[in-house]
Amino acid sequence: MAKPKHTIILRGSTSLLLLIAAIVMLVSYQKVDLMSIGTEFIAIYKDWDSFTASMIVGFIGSIYNFSVLFLPVGSMLWRLVLVVDMILSMLIGGSLSAAWQTFALIKNGAHHVGWFPICKVVPHFCSSVVGSLTVASIGLTLNLVLLLWSLHIVLNPLLLEEP
C-alpha cells in the first residue's frame, strides 16, 4: 500500500510554500535616506515580533511537513501526525493573524496615537512582507486541508473501507 499522490503533493506544496514565505520574510529589508530630516530609516522584519514569529513558524511548518513525507504508510505515528497537524495549523493561524494585523498597522498607521504609515516610505519592504504573508496564508489553507485529510484517514468516519 503506497501513499496517495494527492497527500504527497499537498504535503510537498505546503512545505514549499511555508519555506518560501519564511525566506521572503527573512530577507525583507529596506534602508531609506530621509534627506528632509537628515536621517536614514531602516525597515527589517526583526523590528516587529509578529513578523519574526511568522517567519519562525513558517520554518517549523516547512520542516515538519517535509519530514512527514518520509513517514511509513502503516506507522502508528499517523495518530501523532493528526495532533501535530492541528497544533501546527493553530500556530500558523495565530502567527499569521498577528502578522496581518501588524502589516495593517504599518500600512495605514495609527493616527490617533501619532504613528505614521511607513509603507509610503519603504514600499519594497511592505511588498515583501505582504508577499510573504500571502504565500503563508495559502500554506495555512493547504495545512488545514491536510488536517482534515489526516482526520479522515485516522478516524475514517464513514467506515467505507476496512482498516
Side-chain angles (χ1 to χ4, degrees):
M1 180 159 104
K3 288 183 189 177
K5 289 182 183 177
H6 58 278
T7 60
I8 294 172
I9 291 170
L10 276 174
R11 286 247 180 238
S13 299
T14 302
S15 179
L16 186 64
L17 286 171
L18 291 175
L19 181 65
I20 289 170
I23 290 173
V24 169
M25 186 65 77
L26 184 66
V27 299
S28 61
Y29 171 84
Q30 187 175 3
K31 182 168 105 172
V32 176
D33 288 327
L34 300 173
M35 296 298 179
S36 62
I37 57 175
T39 188
E40 65 183 18
F41 182 74
I42 299 173
I44 190 166
Y45 76 95
K46 292 179 196 176
D47 292 338
W48 294 277
D49 292 337
S50 61
F51 293 160
T52 304
S54 176
M55 182 209 45
I56 291 169
V57 169
F59 278 125
I60 291 170
S62 177
I63 291 167
Y64 164 74
N65 279 303
F66 183 72
S67 64
V68 169
L69 286 173
F70 298 106
L71 194 62
V73 175
S75 175
M76 293 300 290
L77 291 175
W78 281 105
R79 292 183 188 264
L80 181 64
V81 167
L82 175 66
V83 173
V84 176
D85 276 348
M86 186 175 297
I87 292 169
L88 187 64
S89 295
M90 290 188 311
L91 281 173
I92 294 170
S95 68
L96 276 176
S97 64
W100 276 113
Q101 185 59 41
T102 302
F103 176 75
L105 181 66
I106 66 171
K107 181 182 179 202
N108 301 324
H111 300 289
H112 60 283
V113 292
W115 294 346
F116 67 96
I118 68 165
C119 281
K120 294 177 182 176
V121 179
V122 285
H124 176 72
F125 171 76
C126 289
S127 63
S128 295
V129 168
V130 78
S132 172
L133 295 178
T134 302
V135 170
S137 296
I138 296 169
L140 172 64
T141 304
L142 290 181
N143 205 58
L144 289 172
V145 169
L146 282 168
L147 172 65
L148 293 174
W149 181 255
S150 297
L151 186 65
H152 171 72
I153 294 298
V154 169
L155 298 179
N156 199 3
L158 299 178
L159 297 174
L160 295 176
E161 56 189 55
E162 293 181 23

